[in-house]
Amino acid sequence: MSGLEDLYREIILDHYRNPRNRGTLESPPAIRQEGFNPLCGDEVIVYLEKTDEGNNEPKLVVRIDGRGCSISQSSASLMAQSVNGSTVPEVRKLIKDFKSLMSIHETNLGGEPEDEASLDPVDTDKMGELAALQGVVKFPVRIKCATLSWNTLLQAMEELEI
Amino acid sequence: MSGLEDLYREIILDHYRNPRNRGTLESPPAIRQEGFNPLCGDEVIVYLEKTDEGNNEPKLVVRIDGRGCSISQSSASLMAQSVNGSTVPEVRKLIKDFKSLMSIHETNLGGEPEDEASLDPVDTDKMGELAALQGVVKFPVRIKCATLSWNTLLQAMEELEI
Amino acid sequence: MSSSASPRILNVDKIRKDFPILETSKNGKRLVYLDSAASSQRPDSVLEAMDDYYHTTHANVHRGVYSIAENATALYEKARVKAGKLINAPKPSKEIVFTKNATEAINLVAKTWGLVNLGESDVILTTKMEHHANLVPWLMLKEQTGCRISYLEIDSNGELILDDIESKFDGVKLLAITMASNVLGTIPPVKYLTEMAHKNGALVLADAAQFVPHRQCDVSDLDVDFLAFTGHKVMGPTGIGVLYGKEELLDAMPPFLGGGEMILDVTLEGFKTNEIPWKFEAGTPPIAEAVGLGAGIDYLTAIGYGAIGEHERGLLDYCSNSLKTTFGEKITLYGPKETTKRTGLISFSFETVHPHDVAQILDDHNICVRAGHHCAKPLMYRLGLSATTRVSFSIYNDTHDIDALIIGLVQVVEMLG
Amino acid sequence: MSSSASPRILNVDKIRKDFPILETSKNGKRLVYLDSAASSQRPDSVLEAMDDYYHTTHANVHRGVYSIAENATALYEKARVKAGKLINAPKPSKEIVFTKNATEAINLVAKTWGLVNLGESDVILTTKMEHHANLVPWLMLKEQTGCRISYLEIDSNGELILDDIESKFDGVKLLAITMASNVLGTIPPVKYLTEMAHKNGALVLADAAQFVPHRQCDVSDLDVDFLAFTGHKVMGPTGIGVLYGKEELLDAMPPFLGGGEMILDVTLEGFKTNEIPWKFEAGTPPIAEAVGLGAGIDYLTAIGYGAIGEHERGLLDYCSNSLKTTFGEKITLYGPKETTKRTGLISFSFETVHPHDVAQILDDHNICVRAGHHCAKPLMYRLGLSATTRVSFSIYNDTHDIDALIIGLVQVVEMLG
Ligand SMILES: Cc1ncc(COP(=O)(O)O)c(C=O)c1O
Ligand SMILES: Cc1ncc(COP(=O)(O)O)c(C=O)c1O
């Protein structure tokens, strides 16, 4: 049972039961991006917008819709919580760290790592609640659940041309 | 070696080395029909014509071209020898008898017999030299070689609308 | 309750011995395999038949003059006849095409018969409970030909709504329909619909991937024009599927893939196609897989569809009763209420737990169930779900498996409910 | 003569023990298998890998959350990487598509990339020595798109004529070329021709079905755009083939067959395709076959292409010398004179005996050789032949096999010559 308890940590169950930043943004101006997990049909819809901060770096606003398992939905909630109010460079760093957290096992599934950099060790202490998703790496199939919202976020950022 | 000697009987080798009725007929009026053995690419070209016998049954004239193994070519030669100068009903009977001689093994290759009648026993005594091809049934793959010219003849007869 | 129903019909303990994977265990828990609708396990006789083939006979087929090549060809063609007889095809040696799976079989029809025969004014009629294998090929054909696709609706029991059915056939050239839903278990009235289709000048393709493993399938009686099923769900190996088609239809169809075996002649300019069924079997076919499928079919028919059906109905009753008794309002079961109207599988969902999490926790008990959209997304949309949990039965399952399932599910609900 | 060449390089006696079929005999004569170009035999490790897979792991892939399904998926994807590494694909997990055989791999390119990219003014350049698998798909494409097909000629040694080669690329969008002729053994200069093709804006598809079993294949070095090979010729099982394609090309191509696994989403109106390589793998893939292929590749690479090539060249020399010495003027051998320019097979013909009869009589000696057009009819027409006899070698053949062949052929000539 230790593996299971590692997967279903309290933080994850909390975000699953009480998802943060759930809702929609008007689109346009916001980007509306759908993501599917072909394995199970889980669906995440990411709404993304940037604020106008004058001369300062704009900040990102994100809302989450869709449905799916505890891992995909809690990961989306955790993602939204970390992204909201962050600048683009901060978010890029977050994405990189999160993918590192996950990608170790993706390699073992038979893939090449996306790029070598993604194999840098991550400092989970600095990741806050996000680190709770670490237990997922013991369950390779669930990595796709955990990364779904993040990949969708990346696509939305591309659409926003940031 | 008994099987092999049964396959390569003297009559067969003779017809292979000295094929009868080899040549072509002007087409039209003759029918020119090609037959292929997809197994090995053996090719038989049958030229077929019927004579005008006034009120009597017309007779068939056949010539053979093409190339292939000893079985396909000797069978074509034997076929031409038996068909030449015969009437359509006589040829139909010949074809039926010959197919019976061959079809027993075709069934074992996994096919249904073309029709139940084709399983009638044949009287090989009445078949003359043709009966020499009987050894082929021990070599199922070669049945297609032996029947190639006969199937091509049948197609030519269809074209001639007889 | 029919807790002892299954042991009376089949000797499951004895059957399980033929399936070594069922003797494996993880963390001291034996494997409980409840995912045969995704892929069945196979008896050792299937592996032995394939190994034996490789050990004594292997050579490429149809082109060799030497003995082992002849024997390989004979074994391959014998498997074809066996597959044909299983579904009572009138001319098995001509009307059975071996493909790589059921999906390819359906695509073959779409990309040959479909491309030639369908145009903008034509309609393909199908249902809202199809597997993607019997839907995406038609959606692709729609893109290519401009034909339309219309769907028969389902009711709240997951059965087809047949009111005013005659009108649904307007402009229809093909009815493409499942013989058993892989999500609901529903067995639509394919014989009746085939009569209807034929009366209206439409052909019928039946997706029997979920039917052939469970019920006697008789294409002569059904009179369907095409039918597909897949080897790995009928105790055969992966890598092989079966297409049945009526002789005159197959004869008239253009070839599918080009290459060796499907030709009579090739020149620099063009080619002549071979006779059916080889016209549709380009390249080296799945020879050992055909031999294995033959052995799988032998195993299945030795047990007999009568016993299989009865056994499965017993498990169905037992399982749905146990689920309802244990979880009451918390659980929803999908599909027809009457067990006689369905095959041996149950899809269900909990209000508060996602199927993925259900399957994950059951895996900790070494219980295999499927969670997801089951390659039937339109049906999921229709049911207003993104996923269900599905348990499916075969001859090697018994009530102990279901008891284990219930214990596992109780823990699921405790953890996440 | 190199009569002892092979034993020095490979321990054939030891290797043969891994191939039980080679221990069989008929009428007291051991099997002499000289038809590996049609299909290789496979070591028991391949069958064991498949049996082991079925005994411990089998489940459908990519869709299951439970352990054995995860393990099955991992094994399947590992086999993909193995197949990719064998040919040095830069991104094996994306650029390798599993098909049912090499023929399907080539058809896939014709029916996706080809249909989208070729029109009436375009030319497919190929050669006069192609296997039907690399010809009929293009002839079918010609029918569908109106594109033209032109052919590189061969000289009397069975080598490509490369004079004025630049001009041959006029209007060419695709060069579809074999990497080793299955009739002549010829190894065309594919790297050089690929440079030429790319300079002229054409892509290259290489048919490596007869190359991968014998020589190190390096798609990164060759820079070909697509490459196909087949499992049953590289010690793998039947029922599986491999397509390599460059990532950006595969990404841009429309899907091939429709069904499960190749989609991200399906609605009643349309569908979204999955990522590569799964976009091209509709339905349940050949899972056990992929595992078996992986084991076959392991066996092959453990022996090593260096030793394989050297061993085969020894047998080639020994066999062609024996044939020439024994039959002199009576026999004609085809293909390049230099053994370094060819793979381990020899096609030949006797003036007076048809290949079918040769193979028939050799079968009486339990010697397996291929007789026929070898699925290369245009080449046969070009050579002015309807058939040849072909002997082909693998790692389990030695000079004893060739000695037996010569004895058999002497009897052939006695009987029918
Ligand atoms: C050169 C060549 N290409 C393609 C093929 C086709 O391989 P498969 O029949 O496995 O599709 C073969 C083998 O028959 C071949 O020799
Ligand atoms: C109803 C139905 N049709 C078709 C298929 C496709 O079978 P395969 O994946 O073997 O092609 C399946 C199985 O996944 C199925 O359940």
Side-chain angles (χ1 to χ4, degrees):
Chain A
M1 280 300 299
S2 75
L4 267 194
E5 275 155 15
D6 222 30
L7 182 64
Y8 296 119
R9 291 186 196 172
E10 263 316 311
I11 296 176
I12 291 184
L13 293 181
D14 178 42
H15 276 264
Y16 176 49
R17 292 183 183 127
N18 312 296
R20 325 292 202 261
N21 298 298
R22 224 180 145 79
T24 63
L25 295 175
E26 202 176 338
S27 161
I31 294 293
R32 179 186 184 281
Q33 185 69 43
E34 295 182 11
F36 291 101
N37 181 347
L39 172 70
C40 58
D42 278 6
E43 192 188 7
V44 164
I45 303 167
V46 168
Y47 293 87
L48 185 69
E49 214 170 59
K50 58 182 180 200
T51 57
D52 184 355
E53 304 279 328
N55 283 341
N56 293 328
E57 283 268 14
K59 296 195 166 138
L60 292 182
V61 181
V62 69
R63 290 292 177 279
I64 302 293
D65 203 0
R67 52 191 175 174
C69 68
S70 60
I71 304 303
S72 70
Q73 300 307 303
S74 64
S75 178
S77 172
L78 284 158
M79 180 274 279
Q81 175 177 288
S82 339
V83 166
N84 253 330
S86 301
T87 64
V88 175
E90 285 165 350
V91 170
R92 292 218 176 280
K93 173 84 173 69
L94 258 177
I95 293 174
K96 194 159 165 293
D97 286 351
F98 179 73
K99 287 210 155 186
S100 300
L101 196 72
M102 293 293 131
S103 67
I104 305 140
H105 258 80
E106 249 175 322
T107 321
N108 291 353
L109 261 182
E112 303 80 35
E114 301 258 316
D115 49 62
E116 291 297 321
S118 69
L119 283 177
D120 285 351
V122 251
D123 185 350
T124 48
D125 288 350
K126 294 213 182 113
M127 292 187 77
E129 285 195 346
L130 266 185
L133 282 163
Q134 202 178 10
V136 173
V137 294
K138 289 191 193 162
F139 299 86
V141 174
R142 305 304 289 275
I143 292 176
K144 282 200 174 164
C145 305
T147 52
L148 176 61
S149 55
W150 294 81
N151 285 327
T152 313
L153 171 69
L154 258 179
Q155 284 175 283
M157 287 171 71
E158 258 175 44
E159 287 291 314
L160 251 190
E161 290 172 10
I162 52 177
Chain B
M1 282 296 300
S2 75
L4 267 194
E5 275 155 16
D6 222 31
L7 182 63
Y8 296 119
R9 291 185 196 172
E10 263 316 311
I11 296 176
I12 291 184
L13 293 180
D14 178 43
H15 275 266
Y16 177 46
R17 292 182 182 127
N18 312 296
R20 324 294 202 263
N21 299 297
R22 225 180 145 78
T24 63
L25 296 173
E26 201 176 338
S27 160
I31 294 293
R32 180 186 183 281
Q33 184 70 44
E34 295 180 10
F36 291 100
N37 181 345
L39 171 69
C40 58
D42 277 6
E43 192 188 7
V44 164
I45 303 168
V46 168
Y47 293 88
L48 186 69
E49 214 169 61
K50 58 182 179 199
T51 58
D52 185 355
E53 306 278 327
N55 284 340
N56 293 329
E57 283 268 13
K59 296 194 166 140
L60 292 182
V61 181
V62 69
R63 290 290 176 278
I64 302 292
D65 203 359
R67 51 189 175 176
C69 68
S70 60
I71 304 304
S72 72
Q73 300 306 303
S74 63
S75 177
S77 172
L78 284 158
M79 180 273 277
Q81 175 177 286
S82 338
V83 166
N84 252 330
S86 299
T87 64
V88 175
E90 285 165 351
V91 170
R92 292 220 176 276
K93 174 81 172 66
L94 257 177
I95 293 173
K96 193 159 166 294
D97 285 352
F98 180 73
K99 288 212 155 183
S100 299
L101 196 72
M102 294 293 130
S103 67
I104 306 138
H105 258 81
E106 250 176 321
T107 321
N108 289 353
L109 263 179
E112 302 80 34
E114 303 256 316
D115 49 61
E116 291 297 321
S118 69
L119 283 177
D120 285 351
V122 252
D123 185 348
T124 47
D125 289 349
K126 295 215 181 106
M127 293 186 78
E129 287 195 343
L130 266 183
L133 283 163
Q134 201 178 11
V136 173
V137 293
K138 289 192 194 159
F139 299 86
V141 175
R142 304 305 288 274
I143 292 176
K144 281 200 176 165
C145 306
T147 52
L148 177 61
S149 55
W150 294 82
N151 285 328
T152 313
L153 171 69
L154 259 179
Q155 285 175 284
M157 288 172 71
E158 259 176 43
E159 287 291 313
L160 251 189
E161 291 174 7
I162 54 179
Chain C
M1 275 226 269
S2 45
S3 86
S4 55
S6 60
R8 260 187 282 130
I9 300 152
L10 292 181
N11 187 340
V12 175
D13 287 342
K14 187 162 162 283
I15 288 174
R16 290 175 68 92
K17 293 216 166 61
D18 297 327
F19 296 78
I21 196 171
L22 301 177
E23 307 288 313
T24 63
S25 57
K26 191 178 74 174
N27 302 331
K29 287 167 185 151
R30 72 175 179 91
L31 186 72
V32 175
Y33 189 73
L34 293 170
D35 196 21
S36 295
S39 195
S40 73
Q41 300 300 340
R42 52 219 31 70
D44 250 9
S45 57
V46 168
L47 309 185
E48 281 158 15
M50 292 195 285
D51 287 353
D52 188 54
Y53 163 76
Y54 282 125
H55 283 163
T56 64
T57 316
H58 176 69
N60 215 326
V61 292
H62 292 137
R63 294 174 226 156
V65 186
Y66 51 86
S67 306
I68 59 170
E70 283 181 34
N71 295 342
T73 306
L75 284 175
Y76 178 69
E77 293 299 329
K78 225 177 248 170
R80 190 194 303 283
V81 172
K82 233 174 235 181
K85 292 207 164 139
L86 181 71
I87 58 169
N88 199 24
K91 297 178 181 169
S93 66
K94 292 184 178 169
E95 298 181 324
I96 296 293
V97 177
F98 281 131
T99 60
K100 67 176 175 181
N101 51 29
T103 303
E104 189 192 17
I106 297 171
N107 277 272
L108 192 162
V109 176
K111 289 177 195 302
T112 58
W113 180 88
L115 262 190
V116 173
N117 287 286
L118 291 180
E120 284 192 10
S121 56
D122 297 318
V123 178
I124 297 169
L125 181 61
T126 182
T127 81
K128 288 202 175 164
M129 59 175 157
E130 298 305 318
H131 187 280
H132 294 160
N134 197 24
L135 186 47
V136 181
W138 311 118
L139 291 170
M140 291 172 87
L141 192 62
K142 178 177 97 165
E143 280 178 20
Q144 286 188 280
T145 66
C147 71
R148 280 184 307 120
I149 300 183
S150 67
Y151 296 87
L152 293 176
E153 257 299 350
I154 56 171
D155 64 20
S156 58
N157 286 333
E159 292 178 56
L160 287 183
I161 298 175
L162 298 175
D163 306 342
D164 195 20
I165 183 72
E166 190 94 34
S167 73
K168 302 293 196 306
F169 279 96
D170 239 29
V172 170
K173 275 266 183 81
L174 179 75
L175 170 66
I177 186 169
T178 189
M179 286 190 61
S181 159
N182 66 316
V183 180
L184 304 167
T186 316
I187 298 175
V190 170
K191 185 173 175 180
Y192 166 73
L193 290 169
T194 301
E195 265 172 45
M196 202 66 91
H198 287 168
K199 221 195 298 175
N200 288 275
L203 298 188
V204 177
L205 176 140
D207 173 1
Q210 294 289 349
F211 189 85
V212 176
H214 304 287
R215 297 283 180 283
Q216 177 70 57
C217 181
D218 184 334
V219 291
S220 300
D221 177 55
L222 292 169
D223 201 27
V224 294
D225 302 282
F226 300 106
L227 182 137
F229 68 99
T230 200
H232 66 95
K233 295 192 209 271
V234 287
M235 318 254 147
T238 55
I240 190 162
V242 175
L243 173 67
Y244 158 80
K246 285 182 181 164
E247 181 181 13
E248 61 276 16
L249 290 168
L250 294 181
D251 254 335
M253 273 149 60
F256 176 42
L257 305 182
E261 192 50 33
M262 53 68 74
I263 55 89
L264 279 187
D265 191 24
V266 182
T267 67
L268 300 178
E269 302 307 320
F271 62 94
K272 289 199 186 112
T273 52
N274 200 345
E275 290 162 27
I276 61 168
W278 306 293
K279 175 166 88 174
F280 298 108
E281 296 183 352
T284 304
I287 312 171
E289 288 73 14
V291 171
L293 176 59
I297 290 172
D298 286 344
Y299 191 91
L300 210 66
T301 47
I303 289 180
Y305 279 114
I308 293 171
E310 214 177 320
H311 174 72
E312 285 177 4
R313 278 187 292 273
L315 292 178
L316 253 183
D317 277 333
Y318 185 80
C319 185
S320 53
N321 288 336
S322 302
L323 288 171
K324 280 186 257 174
T325 318
T326 317
F327 301 106
E329 297 286 284
K330 283 190 199 145
I331 199 167
T332 311
L333 309 191
Y334 301 96
K337 299 273 173 286
E338 295 145 73
T339 38
T340 53
K341 285 191 175 176
R342 53 191 294 169
T343 57
L345 59 83
I346 306 180
S347 276
F348 58 87
S349 63
F350 288 107
E351 224 165 293
T352 50
V353 195
H354 188 277
H356 241 192
D357 296 311
V358 174
Q360 186 81 62
I361 295 168
L362 289 179
D363 179 49
D364 214 58
H365 296 250
N366 210 10
I367 299 170
C368 308
V369 305
R370 189 114 316 210
H373 56 62
H374 314 293
C375 293
K377 289 200 84 171
L379 175 61
M380 291 292 127
Y381 290 125
R382 167 66 186 75
L383 297 173
L385 298 166
S386 71
T388 71
T389 306
R390 182 188 70 190
V391 297
S392 54
F393 312 122
S394 185
I395 48 172
Y396 39 69
N397 293 117
D398 59 16
T399 53
H400 300 305
D401 294 340
I402 293 167
D403 294 341
L405 171 74
I406 301 291
I407 293 171
L409 288 174
V410 166
Q411 199 215 336
V412 167
V413 174
E414 273 169 21
M415 266 188 87
L416 296 181
Chain D
M1 275 226 268
S2 45
S3 86
S4 55
S6 61
R8 259 187 285 133
I9 301 152
L10 292 182
N11 187 341
V12 175
D13 286 343
K14 187 162 163 281
I15 288 174
R16 290 174 68 90
K17 294 216 166 63
D18 297 329
F19 294 79
I21 195 171
L22 300 177
E23 308 286 315
T24 63
S25 57
K26 190 178 76 175
N27 302 330
K29 289 167 185 149
R30 71 176 181 93
L31 186 73
V32 175
Y33 189 72
L34 294 170
D35 196 20
S36 295
S39 195
S40 72
Q41 299 301 338
R42 52 218 32 68
D44 249 11
S45 58
V46 168
L47 308 187
E48 282 157 14
M50 291 194 288
D51 287 355
D52 188 55
Y53 163 76
Y54 282 125
H55 282 161
T56 63
T57 317
H58 175 70
N60 215 327
V61 292
H62 293 137
R63 294 174 226 157
V65 187
Y66 51 86
S67 305
I68 60 171
E70 282 182 34
N71 295 342
T73 305
L75 284 174
Y76 179 69
E77 294 298 330
K78 225 177 245 170
R80 190 193 303 283
V81 173
K82 237 176 231 181
K85 293 207 162 137
L86 182 71
I87 57 169
N88 198 24
K91 297 179 180 168
S93 67
K94 291 183 180 170
E95 298 182 324
I96 297 293
V97 177
F98 280 131
T99 59
K100 66 176 174 178
N101 52 28
T103 302
E104 190 193 16
I106 298 171
N107 277 274
L108 191 163
V109 175
K111 290 179 195 300
T112 58
W113 180 88
L115 262 190
V116 172
N117 287 286
L118 290 180
E120 283 193 12
S121 56
D122 298 317
V123 178
I124 297 169
L125 181 61
T126 181
T127 80
K128 288 202 177 164
M129 58 176 161
E130 298 305 319
H131 187 280
H132 294 160
N134 197 24
L135 186 47
V136 181
W138 312 119
L139 290 169
M140 291 172 86
L141 193 61
K142 179 177 94 163
E143 279 178 21
Q144 284 187 280
T145 65
C147 72
R148 279 183 307 118
I149 300 183
S150 68
Y151 295 89
L152 293 176
E153 255 301 347
I154 55 171
D155 65 19
S156 57
N157 285 335
E159 293 177 54
L160 287 183
I161 298 175
L162 298 175
D163 306 343
D164 195 21
I165 183 72
E166 190 96 34
S167 73
K168 302 293 196 308
F169 279 96
D170 241 30
V172 170
K173 274 268 181 82
L174 179 75
L175 170 66
I177 187 169
T178 188
M179 286 192 60
S181 158
N182 66 315
V183 180
L184 304 166
T186 315
I187 298 175
V190 170
K191 186 175 177 181
Y192 166 73
L193 289 169
T194 300
E195 267 173 41
M196 201 67 89
H198 287 169
K199 221 194 300 171
N200 287 275
L203 298 189
V204 178
L205 176 140
D207 173 1
Q210 295 290 347
F211 189 86
V212 175
H214 304 287
R215 298 282 179 280
Q216 178 69 57
C217 181
D218 184 336
V219 292
S220 300
D221 177 54
L222 292 168
D223 201 26
V224 294
D225 302 283
F226 299 106
L227 183 137
F229 68 98
T230 199
H232 65 96
K233 296 193 209 271
V234 288
M235 318 253 147
T238 55
I240 190 162
V242 175
L243 173 68
Y244 158 80
K246 285 181 179 163
E247 181 182 11
E248 61 276 20
L249 290 169
L250 294 181
D251 254 338
M253 274 150 60
F256 176 42
L257 305 182
E261 191 50 33
M262 53 70 73
I263 55 89
L264 279 187
D265 190 25
V266 181
T267 67
L268 300 179
E269 302 307 320
F271 62 94
K272 289 198 186 116
T273 53
N274 200 344
E275 289 163 28
I276 63 168
W278 307 292
K279 176 166 86 173
F280 299 108
E281 296 183 351
T284 305
I287 312 169
E289 290 71 15
V291 171
L293 176 59
I297 289 173
D298 286 345
Y299 190 90
L300 209 67
T301 47
I303 288 180
Y305 278 114
I308 293 171
E310 215 178 316
H311 174 72
E312 285 178 3
R313 277 188 291 274
L315 292 178
L316 254 183
D317 277 333
Y318 185 81
C319 185
S320 53
N321 288 335
S322 302
L323 288 171
K324 280 187 254 173
T325 317
T326 316
F327 301 106
E329 297 285 284
K330 282 189 201 149
I331 200 169
T332 309
L333 310 190
Y334 301 96
K337 299 272 173 283
E338 296 144 73
T339 37
T340 52
K341 286 190 172 173
R342 52 191 295 169
T343 56
L345 60 83
I346 306 182
S347 276
F348 57 87
S349 63
F350 288 107
E351 224 166 289
T352 51
V353 196
H354 188 277
H356 241 192
D357 296 312
V358 174
Q360 186 80 64
I361 296 168
L362 289 178
D363 179 49
D364 214 57
H365 294 250
N366 210 12
I367 300 171
C368 308
V369 304
R370 189 116 315 210
H373 55 62
H374 313 294
C375 293
K377 289 201 85 173
L379 175 60
M380 292 291 127
Y381 289 125
R382 166 66 186 74
L383 298 173
L385 298 166
S386 72
T388 71
T389 306
R390 181 188 69 189
V391 297
S392 53
F393 313 123
S394 186
I395 48 172
Y396 38 68
N397 294 118
D398 60 16
T399 54
H400 300 305
D401 293 340
I402 293 167
D403 295 340
L405 171 72
I406 301 290
I407 293 171
L409 288 175
V410 166
Q411 200 216 335
V412 167
V413 173
E414 273 170 19
M415 268 188 87
L416 296 182

